[in-house]
Every structure is written in structure tokens, then in C-alpha cells.
Amino acid sequence: MTDNRIRITRRTARWSDEPVTAADAMDFWSFAAGAANVIMQLSRPGVGHGVVESKVDSGALMKHPWKRARTTFQYLAVAVIGTDDDRAAFREAVNGAHRQVKSGPDSPVQYNAFDRDLQMWVAACLFVGIEDTYQLLRGEMTPEQSEQFYTSAWPLGTTLQVSEDQWPPTRAQFDDYWDTACEQVAVDDVVRAYLLDLINLRMINPLLGLPFRPLLKFLTAGFLAPVFRDTLGLTWGPARQWWFEHLFLFVAFVNRFLPGFVRQGGSYVLLADVRMRVRRQRRLV
């Protein structure tokens, strides 16, 4: 089994064999994988140093954690359940921030936020994240569902600079891309310190973070494939894997009985906030 995807031996039964789309993955439980996905994205040196060295203070995770969380989840909502107009507005806002993100003469790696290969990596990480959480919450997809889900998730990248011909055309070819791309995963001491500060919640009040830190570290490590977990130096083992799987068996059971507006209401609230900001000409990112 590849070390590039999470390993789940027990998951909930499949909800149905009906057609699926990425929009079905927007249940609020999926947000539990948010920190893990940030780690995946920043494990590519160009992305990691681009974020750590960024001079765009308004979007800095360590300075404005709640704003950064909002804009990240809003991007997911816009890309997956938004309209073309929503995506165009968000693309313009993100591009404005990205114009300032490029390596300088002292940067240990060269990067540019408009590098389409790096954007493809970020989009691929987002796809892997929502696919993993979908299958934990709603069961393993059939091959047909997997293909439907994959194709519908392309706006995760095409909302920005990733072109449709950049996406591997089939789900199986995406696996080939992912395995090759994961060979470039590398985290140096600078990026590792940044990511450890993230999962230790160093960016919020210590008293506020105290009760949530152990749970966040557990969930983050559980949602990381071995290649990312090992690169960051996070420990894991059979006992933690057992607890992780059984936690989500329970969460998936509860989720099955929640009405749709409860499961996915948060994503639509985030999308509504984007549209309100556009109407009032307020900053999106």
C-alpha cells in the first residue's frame, strides 16, 4: 500500500450507489482535516517557503489565524459549490495577494505564487483531503462514483491558474501524478518549525488553545499519509490508528442521521458571506 495516502482498514458502509459530486463532501466534519491539508500543501518546498516568507500580512496564518481559516474554507466553498461569478471574484482577490508572493535573493528555494505546477500541487492536496474525508464519512465510493467525484472537483484548481489540460484526465492517472508529485515532498527546519507552531496552536491565546491542542494534533496526524507524517516527525501507531478509525465510524454514524442543512449549512454560510462581501466591495482575502 502506498505511503502517499492515509490508510483506513475500517470505514462506514457506503451511503448509496447514486451519482456523487465533490459538493457532497462539504459536510462540516470535513473541516477537521484542515490543518493536515495545510501541512500537505506546505510540504512542497516552493509552497512552504512561499507561505513562511510571505510579506502579505493580511493573510498570514500566524498573525490572522481566524481570517486565514475563513478565507481557506471560503475558497473550498466557492470552488465546489459556487457559481462561475463567485469563482471569478475570488480568483481576482487571490491573484491580488499572490502577485506579492515570489522568492527573493535570499530565499533557499525559488518560488512564485503563479507557478501553475505549485498551484496544481495545492489543488491536488485539496482534492485528496476532500476525497479522504468524504469516504470516512460516507463510505468508499464505487469506481464510477470515484470518477464522477474526481471530475467534479477540478474547480479546486481551475478556479485559479490550473488549466483543465493540467489535471490528469482520469482518476487512475491522478494517482500516478500524486505518487510522482509526492517524491518532491521535503520539509526543512524553517518550514517544520512553522508547521509545528500551527498544530500546537501557537497563533492563538495559550489558554484558549490548551483544551483543543491534543485533539488537533491527533486529528492532524490521523489525516496525514505516512509520507507527510514522517517528514514532519509526527509519531503514530496501531493504537492511535484504531482510535482514529473508530472515532470516524462513530462520527459517520451520527452524520448519516443529520439533515443536509445541518451537515452542509456552514459551507453555504461561508459562500453567502463571499457574495455579501462582493456586493459591498469588501476584501475577500
Side-chain angles (χ1 to χ4, degrees):
M1 182 178 291
T2 177
D3 282 344
N4 300 330
R5 296 298 299 265
I6 63 172
R7 301 170 179 177
I8 301 296
T9 58
R10 295 191 63 188
R11 67 175 88 238
T12 190
R14 185 166 59 244
W15 279 28
S16 78
D17 292 330
E18 296 297 315
V20 300
T21 69
D24 298 320
M26 299 303 286
D27 292 357
F28 71 88
W29 303 103
S30 300
F31 296 159
N37 210 266
V38 171
I39 289 173
M40 290 164 60
Q41 295 170 34
L42 272 61
S43 294
R44 181 81 169 256
V47 180
H49 279 276
V51 171
V52 173
E53 299 173 17
S54 175
K55 303 299 190 295
V56 186
D57 285 350
S58 63
L61 174 60
M62 293 302 171
K63 294 182 179 179
H64 306 286
W66 306 116
K67 178 184 177 183
R68 185 56 184 263
R70 171 182 62 79
T71 56
T72 299
F73 292 134
Q74 282 183 326
Y75 177 78
L76 282 172
V78 165
V80 175
I81 60 176
T83 66
D84 289 342
D85 287 343
D86 297 327
R87 293 172 187 141
F90 217 91
R91 180 186 302 116
E92 182 179 356
V94 173
N95 286 350
H98 278 180
R99 289 187 184 97
Q100 306 171 61
V101 181
K102 52 188 175 182
S103 55
D106 298 327
S107 300
V109 297
Q110 297 299 300
Y111 59 84
N112 187 310
F114 285 97
D115 184 322
R116 291 201 309 153
D117 288 338
L118 293 182
Q119 289 202 10
M120 178 64 206
W121 167 255
V122 170
C125 290
L126 291 172
F127 169 74
V128 166
I130 67 170
E131 185 183 61
D132 285 344
T133 54
Y134 176 92
Q135 295 195 111
L136 275 172
L137 293 171
R138 301 199 184 196
E140 188 171 8
M141 288 181 273
T142 66
E144 294 78 11
Q145 288 176 325
S146 181
E147 208 69 43
Q148 295 159 359
F149 187 92
Y150 172 65
T151 302
S152 71
W154 286 9
L156 290 171
T158 57
T159 296
L160 293 180
Q161 268 70 48
V162 178
S163 60
E164 289 198 9
D165 62 2
Q166 232 183 320
W167 279 98
T170 67
R171 181 64 189 77
Q173 287 171 301
F174 176 84
D175 281 339
D176 294 335
Y177 160 81
W178 182 250
D179 288 340
T180 300
C182 283
E183 294 175 2
Q184 300 183 56
V185 166
V187 176
D188 62 16
D189 290 342
V190 172
V191 176
R192 183 177 295 106
Y194 181 93
L195 294 176
L196 291 176
D197 281 349
L198 165 65
I199 61 177
N200 283 306
L201 296 175
R202 295 281 170 79
M203 64 291 210
I204 67 174
N205 184 290
L207 291 178
L208 183 61
L210 184 63
F212 300 106
R213 191 176 298 121
L215 178 60
L216 177 64
K217 294 174 76 170
F218 173 73
L219 292 173
T220 299
F223 276 114
L224 288 174
V227 62
F228 302 104
R229 195 187 299 137
D230 295 344
T231 300
L232 200 56
L234 298 178
T235 58
W236 197 249
R240 292 184 182 182
Q241 182 69 24
W242 187 93
W243 280 109
F244 182 80
E245 292 183 8
H246 283 76
L247 170 64
F248 276 91
L249 283 171
F250 173 74
V251 169
F253 175 78
V254 174
N255 194 53
R256 186 182 292 265
F257 296 99
L258 295 177
F261 74 88
V262 173
R263 292 196 317 268
Q264 299 193 332
S267 296
Y268 286 94
V269 169
L270 290 168
L271 182 59
D273 181 66
V274 169
R275 291 169 176 170
M276 181 272 292
R277 290 173 181 271
V278 170
R279 287 195 304 271
R280 298 183 180 180
Q281 299 183 327
R282 295 175 56 189
R283 291 177 63 104
L284 293 180
V285 299

